């Protein structure tokens, strides 16, 4: 259903509309008919996780989350909201840059000959539904790392090619969110095909939907929709503005890159090291950490071998292992490497911060280490000591 308030793209397709529950259902089915694997949030194992969706019924209707440092709980809501939850334990990195990827296999025949077959990149076509603004930025960061340099990763490039991105603007940030400090949310600015802003008020439960690409506008044209009325526009904008003012965490008001660079010997590093388990959870849940290692495996006969690439972590003692031993042998040096790289030297490599303010590393740290707290503590210590002579 269209109306006189429809805004249209150059192709004539609408660029803004209001969807109801039927529009959300139709969106999943349209994307599936295009041959796409639709991935979105769903409730499983007492968490909001990302999984393949067959219908919009599998989305987390009426579920929210309670977050704190080292704590995550799902909770029931009474309003039936679909996207009123914060980031879960997974990010979209799990689909674009999976934890384990086989690179090649080798077979030895009866005559001792060896045949090596390289695994071809998958031909999957993804549609990601419910991507937060912080995660849109994380995907762009991964793009620069994985395919934006001199040596692009073909496996990542194959998965990333043609991904249809449906953003869900954040209207209820969690207690560990700090996207405003990192300039990555809660509003979705660019990099999406469709963006949804959920509104639940006296006017009903609906979604303001706008397109960010011609492909997005073409999909929107296939959905049951109403024209974007001013009441819904105002309610959606106010919900996002309110979210921006309700961040649970913040970074100190200083140049984080310089803060990391100039305080490598701060006493605070010893304090956080005493609490850090060096488990690497923060790197596993981070939507931009990308480090990998390779491992070779063979069967008992020795006639079949495989090489796998898997995620690695800079917290691993062997991560910097050279012929004389690990370069970063202490827990202190490994935590410092992670934090200074994430919000400091990442700029030198890739031209931006590596942190998007999603707060996953805070939630899923078993000892509740909070990188925003550490940044504030380093800033306070540096302020007390004054400038270095």
């Amino acid at each position: 259903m269209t109306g006189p308030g429809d805004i249209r793209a150059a192709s004539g397709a609408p660029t803004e509309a209001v969807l109801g529950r039927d529009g959300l259902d139709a969106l999943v089915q349209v994307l599936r008919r295009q041959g796409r694997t639709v991935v979105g949030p769903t409730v499983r194992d007492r968490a909001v996780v990302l999984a393949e969706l067959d219908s919009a019924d599998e989305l987390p209707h009426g579920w929210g989350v309670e977050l704190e440092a080292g704590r995550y709980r799902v909770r029931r809501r009474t309003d039936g909201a679909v996207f009123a939850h914060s980031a879960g334990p997974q990010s979209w990195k799990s689909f674009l840059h999976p934890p384990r990827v086989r690179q090649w296999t080798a077979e030895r025949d009866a005559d001792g000959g060896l045949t090596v077959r390289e695994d071809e990149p998958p031909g999957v076509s993804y549609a990601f539904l419910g991507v937060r603004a912080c995660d849109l930025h994380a995907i762009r960061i991964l793009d620069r790392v994985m395919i934006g340099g001199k040596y692009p990763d073909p496996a990542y490039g194959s998965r990333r090619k043609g991904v249809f991105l449906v953003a869900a603007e954040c209207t209820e940030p969690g207690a560990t969110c700090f996207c405003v400090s990192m300039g990555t949310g809660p509003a979705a600015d660019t990099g999406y095909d469709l963006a949804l802003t959920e509104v639940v008020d006296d006017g009903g439960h609906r979604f303001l939907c706008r397109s960010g690409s011609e492909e997005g506008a073409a999909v929107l044209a296939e959905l049951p929709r109403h024209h974007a009325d001013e009441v819904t526009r105002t309610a959606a904008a106010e919900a996002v503005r309110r979210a921006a003012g309700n961040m649970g965490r913040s970074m100190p008001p200083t140049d984080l890159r310089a803060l990391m660079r100039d305080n490598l010997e701060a006493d605070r590093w010893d304090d956080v090291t005493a609490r850090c388990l060096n488990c690497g959870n923060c790197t596993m849940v981070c939507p931009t950490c990308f480090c990998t290692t390779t491992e070779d495996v063979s069967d008992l006969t020795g006639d079949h071998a495989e090489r796998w690439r898997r995620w690695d972590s800079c917290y691993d003692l062997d991560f910097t292992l050279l012929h004389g031993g690990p370069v970063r042998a202490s827990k202190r040096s490994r935590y410092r490497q992670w934090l200074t790289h994430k919000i400091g030297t990442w700029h030198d490599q890739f031209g931006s911060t590596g942190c998007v303010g999603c707060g996953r590393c805070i939630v899923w740290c078993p000892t509740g280490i909070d990188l925003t707290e550490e940044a504030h503590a380093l800033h306070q210590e540096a302020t007390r000591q004054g400038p270095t002579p």
Side-chain angles (χ1 to χ4, degrees):
M1 173 179 177
T2 61
D6 277 356
I7 301 174
R8 296 188 171 270
S11 62
T15 63
E16 189 179 40
V18 173
L19 306 181
R21 170 65 184 268
D22 58 340
L24 200 59
D25 293 336
L27 174 59
V28 174
Q29 299 311 316
V30 167
L31 294 172
R32 283 172 52 83
R33 285 199 301 271
Q34 291 180 346
R36 299 181 183 275
T37 298
V38 181
V39 178
T42 190
V43 177
R44 184 179 299 165
D45 299 328
R46 293 183 294 178
V48 177
V49 300
L50 300 176
E52 184 175 348
L53 303 177
D54 292 325
S55 76
D57 291 336
E58 298 172 90
L59 291 166
H61 298 268
W63 285 97
V65 295
E66 295 177 359
L67 307 176
E68 251 309 330
R71 187 177 188 276
Y72 178 97
R73 296 289 187 276
V74 292
R75 61 177 176 83
R76 267 295 185 183
R77 300 174 58 91
T78 59
D79 58 7
V82 180
F83 299 114
H85 57 272
S86 301
Q90 298 163 291
S91 69
W92 308 95
K93 177 182 76 172
S94 300
F95 298 89
L96 298 174
H97 182 47
R100 293 187 80 230
V101 175
R102 193 174 68 181
Q103 296 181 296
W104 51 254
T105 60
E107 303 285 348
R108 183 163 55 194
D109 58 33
D111 298 325
L114 196 63
T115 302
V116 179
R117 294 184 178 87
E118 184 178 357
D119 279 34
E120 293 294 326
V124 64
S125 177
Y126 282 121
F128 292 163
L129 172 59
V131 185
R132 300 299 187 182
C134 58
D135 280 339
L136 283 176
H137 281 266
I139 291 172
R140 293 208 291 271
I141 289 172
L142 278 182
D143 287 349
R144 289 198 296 273
V145 173
M146 305 299 291
I147 54 177
K150 187 176 180 180
Y151 302 103
D153 181 342
Y156 179 93
S158 175
R159 291 181 175 85
R160 179 68 176 91
K161 184 178 180 181
V163 172
F164 189 93
L165 294 173
V166 182
E169 293 193 308
C170 185
T171 57
E172 292 192 30
T176 57
C177 294
F178 57 102
C179 63
V180 169
S181 289
M182 308 312 295
T184 59
D189 47 13
T190 60
Y192 58 82
D193 294 290
L194 290 175
L196 304 173
T197 312
E198 189 168 22
V199 176
V200 184
D201 59 15
D202 293 341
H205 187 179
R206 59 208 187 275
F207 305 87
L208 180 66
C209 181
R210 64 185 191 274
S211 63
S213 69
E214 285 291 342
E215 190 174 11
V219 169
L220 180 56
E222 296 189 51
L223 306 180
R225 63 195 186 277
H226 301 273
H227 75 271
D229 58 282
E230 202 56 42
V231 171
T232 300
R233 284 198 191 104
T234 300
E238 178 56 31
V240 175
R241 280 195 297 269
R242 189 166 56 247
N246 290 329
M247 291 287 114
R249 296 291 199 276
S250 67
M251 281 291 193
T254 188
D255 183 341
L256 296 176
R257 185 181 181 187
L259 179 67
M260 295 297 107
R261 182 194 62 215
D262 297 338
N263 293 280
L264 297 178
E265 302 304 325
D267 293 337
R268 184 66 183 189
W269 298 117
D270 295 322
D271 179 90
V272 69
T273 297
R275 293 174 282 129
C276 179
L277 302 178
N278 265 210
C279 64
N281 266 20
C282 52
T283 61
M284 298 298 106
V285 298
C286 177
T288 65
C289 278
F290 59 88
C291 292
T292 60
T293 187
T294 56
E295 56 183 16
D296 295 333
V297 297
S298 63
D299 63 7
L300 292 176
T301 68
D303 293 331
H304 175 82
E306 299 176 352
R307 171 163 288 180
W308 289 78
R309 185 178 71 180
R310 63 172 177 80
W311 287 354
D312 202 358
S313 172
C314 53
Y315 285 93
D316 190 334
L317 183 61
D318 290 340
F319 186 77
T320 59
L321 183 64
L322 300 177
H323 65 281
V327 173
R328 289 187 284 273
S330 68
K331 288 201 304 179
R332 183 182 192 274
S333 64
R334 293 197 291 278
Y335 183 86
R336 186 179 65 180
Q337 155 63 22
W338 176 74
L339 186 58
T340 57
H341 185 217
K342 184 61 58 177
I343 62 177
T345 55
W346 201 289
H347 287 272
D348 302 320
Q349 284 184 286
F350 307 114
S352 75
T353 180
C355 177
V356 296
C358 67
R360 289 182 176 95
C361 60
I362 305 172
V363 173
W364 298 98
C365 173
T367 61
I369 293 173
D370 180 342
L371 83 167
T372 65
E373 179 186 345
E374 301 311 312
H376 277 283
L378 287 167
H379 179 52
Q380 290 167 5
E381 183 176 337
T383 302
R384 287 195 305 268
Q385 292 177 350
T388 302

